[in-house]
Amino acid sequence: MSTSQYDVVVVGGGPSGATAADDLARQGWSVLLMDRQGRTKPCGGAIPPRLIKDFDIPDHLLVAKVRCARMISPKDNRVDIHIENGFVAMVNRDSFDEWLRERAQSHGATRLRALCDKITRDADGVARVHFNPVTAQGLGEPDSVRARMVVAADGARSEIARQHIEGADRTKYVFAYHEIVRAPLQDPTHDPERCDVYYQGPISPDFYGWVFPHGDTMSVGTGSADKGFSLRGSVGKLREIAGLSEVETLRREGAPIPLKPLPRWENGRDIVLTGDAAGVVAPASGEGIYYAMACGRMVAEAVQQALKTGDAACLKLARKQFLKEHGRVFWILGLLQYFWYQNDKRRERFVKVCEDPDVQRLTFESYMNKKLVRKKPMAHIRIFFKDLAHLLGFARV
């Protein structure tokens, strides 16, 4: 049995796990970053300016800079929301995630390509992480390492959470599917700086569909919590509507996406969840990269405090801090999804609401900076009454 021991073993090398590993390695802790690699999560790939600034993301990773979002209603009403004085960046998850893992390694984290099997305990109570190395020939012989702390960044429906965290099954999921296609760069109707968002029942009965530019490729996808809904058939319809049926398909990807933070992120001892494993994907929008990385940073801070003090209660600080900063936004977005995504009549009214300049301005200011805008109370009041009028059917569509 191996005697190798690390201060922290991070299981999962996506944006959240890689960020936690990087932050902890920079602080001088011995960190093992374990990731199976070779699988790219379905993701629109949008990141706001706040993420670029907070996490020092270099420009070469930004494959597109979006300056307009087009909202498309069930009746094909189209509302273009222009982003003033800025942009939303697009990244390719395969290269973006790998860059984050390489950065963690450059700051002292040890990388291991492996598939985590389980976590047990040695006679002295220290956690032992069991894994199978991933090789060119497949899975290698079982091995293990000891860990003072384990950060579980192993994605939605985390196996570590299922085995070790109380209440891990108490969250909601949207099943996402997208196809990466060759961008029709020679098509005069193609706009490399515009995202298209489809609020149409045939595309998704309870979420939305998207067509996002990624430079020489595009992400075309949708999501739904309805297990009987054909995501692949929906994306086929979406490609037809968007004029992308004949372009080359490069790859297809699908995965569950959580839309509600788990009620508990730690085991009270030495295991803590982060990213999708913790359920930190925004309702309504499905945005996850920024929240995953912010969560990874908060988890790293909590783990460091636990290691310094020997007090496992410090692990609770990550969830507490995250909900303090982002809980209200998640609550509002959850209400938005519940009210507006129920049927095409409401979706039609929702897109109509998006025509309002106050809605556009405040929505993008909040999105870009990841803070609710409080400086324009009259605009909020106007939005409230307009929103209420649309919800009750008093406003004309």
Side-chain angles (χ1 to χ4, degrees):
M1 187 175 288
S2 172
T3 58
S4 297
Q5 179 167 317
Y6 292 86
D7 292 320
V8 187
V9 172
V10 180
V11 180
S16 197
T19 298
D22 185 41
D23 283 4
L24 287 163
R26 287 179 192 238
Q27 296 300 320
W29 302 102
S30 60
V31 178
L32 176 65
L33 176 56
M34 184 184 301
D35 187 69
R36 61 180 175 179
Q37 301 174 49
R39 176 181 176 274
T40 304
K41 176 188 172 183
C43 176
I47 61 173
R50 170 98 185 257
L51 184 153
I52 297 170
K53 177 182 177 182
D54 287 0
F55 298 97
D56 299 318
I57 303 303
D59 195 69
H60 74 83
L61 289 174
L62 313 182
V63 296
K65 295 180 179 179
V66 171
R67 293 179 168 84
C68 176
R70 173 169 289 177
M71 323 291 276
I72 304 169
S73 79
K75 294 182 179 179
D76 206 37
N77 178 36
R78 301 182 175 212
V79 177
D80 284 356
I81 304 177
H82 296 279
I83 304 169
E84 299 177 1
N85 304 317
F87 60 86
V88 174
M90 292 289 163
V91 297
N92 289 334
R93 285 292 301 274
D94 50 0
S95 54
F96 182 72
D97 291 14
E98 177 60 18
W99 184 86
L100 292 174
R101 291 189 288 265
E102 288 178 349
R103 179 164 69 174
Q105 183 178 30
S106 74
H107 292 131
T110 300
R111 288 184 61 180
L112 174 65
R113 188 175 182 188
L115 182 63
C116 180
D117 178 33
K118 61 184 177 180
I119 299 173
T120 61
R121 298 200 176 275
D122 287 350
D124 58 1
V126 174
R128 180 171 288 276
V129 182
H130 298 259
F131 60 88
N132 290 88
V134 176
T135 69
Q137 291 73 40
L139 294 180
E141 293 298 317
D143 203 347
S144 64
V145 295
R146 285 160 54 91
R148 294 175 62 192
M149 291 284 165
V150 177
V151 174
D154 53 336
R157 295 183 167 175
S158 160
E159 185 62 22
I160 294 176
R162 188 189 68 80
Q163 293 180 19
H164 298 280
I165 308 297
E166 183 182 351
D169 58 336
R170 292 164 54 190
T171 190
K172 299 178 181 179
Y173 294 93
V174 161
F175 294 85
Y177 169 77
H178 78 161
E179 296 178 359
I180 299 298
V181 303
R182 189 81 65 189
L185 300 178
Q186 306 306 316
D187 186 338
T189 65
H190 172 67
D191 187 344
E193 296 186 346
R194 191 188 73 223
C195 285
D196 291 350
V197 185
Y198 289 78
Y199 295 99
Q200 300 178 349
I203 300 302
S204 173
D206 51 3
F207 203 55
Y208 64 82
W210 68 83
V211 178
F212 288 174
H214 281 244
D216 58 359
T217 66
M218 304 184 77
S219 167
V220 185
T222 189
S224 176
D226 183 349
K227 294 182 180 179
F229 184 73
S230 174
L231 295 176
R232 182 168 290 201
S234 171
V235 169
K237 293 176 186 175
L238 181 54
R239 288 181 61 171
E240 183 177 351
I241 293 170
L244 298 171
S245 294
E246 302 304 318
V247 299
E248 180 185 2
T249 302
L250 301 176
R251 65 178 190 270
R252 299 177 172 89
E253 296 153 354
I257 297 176
L259 292 182
K260 184 180 180 182
L262 268 65
R264 183 168 181 172
W265 292 3
E266 38 69 45
N267 69 340
R269 186 171 184 173
D270 52 10
I271 299 174
V272 60
L273 309 178
T274 191
D276 280 10
V280 293
V281 178
S285 69
E287 182 192 359
I289 301 177
Y290 170 77
Y291 293 112
M293 295 178 71
C295 181
R297 178 150 289 173
M298 294 173 191
V299 164
E301 292 171 359
V303 167
Q304 180 168 226
Q305 288 301 312
L307 288 169
K308 283 182 175 180
T309 64
D311 184 2
C314 292
L315 297 178
K316 295 181 180 180
L317 297 175
R319 186 178 187 276
K320 183 177 180 180
Q321 182 184 357
F322 185 90
L323 292 181
K324 181 180 179 181
E325 292 193 20
H326 305 295
R328 189 178 179 193
V329 170
F330 274 43
W331 180 74
I332 291 172
L333 290 174
L335 286 178
L336 185 153
Q337 182 172 347
Y338 175 78
F339 282 118
W340 292 120
Y341 290 12
Q342 286 191 6
N343 53 56
D344 273 357
K345 183 177 179 180
R346 289 194 178 183
R347 280 186 276 266
E348 192 70 39
R349 293 186 178 278
F350 172 66
V351 173
K352 182 67 176 178
V353 169
C354 292
E355 291 181 358
D356 187 273
D358 288 327
V359 172
Q360 294 185 12
R361 183 164 55 252
L362 295 183
T363 297
F364 267 102
E365 284 185 27
S366 297
Y367 171 80
M368 304 281 266
N369 300 305
K370 290 294 170 264
K371 290 182 179 179
L372 291 174
V373 179
R374 304 176 187 274
K375 62 185 178 181
K376 298 174 182 176
M378 289 308 299
H380 284 285
I381 292 171
R382 288 196 300 272
I383 289 171
F384 172 77
F385 283 108
K386 291 172 185 175
D387 199 54
L388 187 63
H390 278 279
L391 183 61
L392 297 176
F394 298 146
R396 293 178 63 187
V397 177

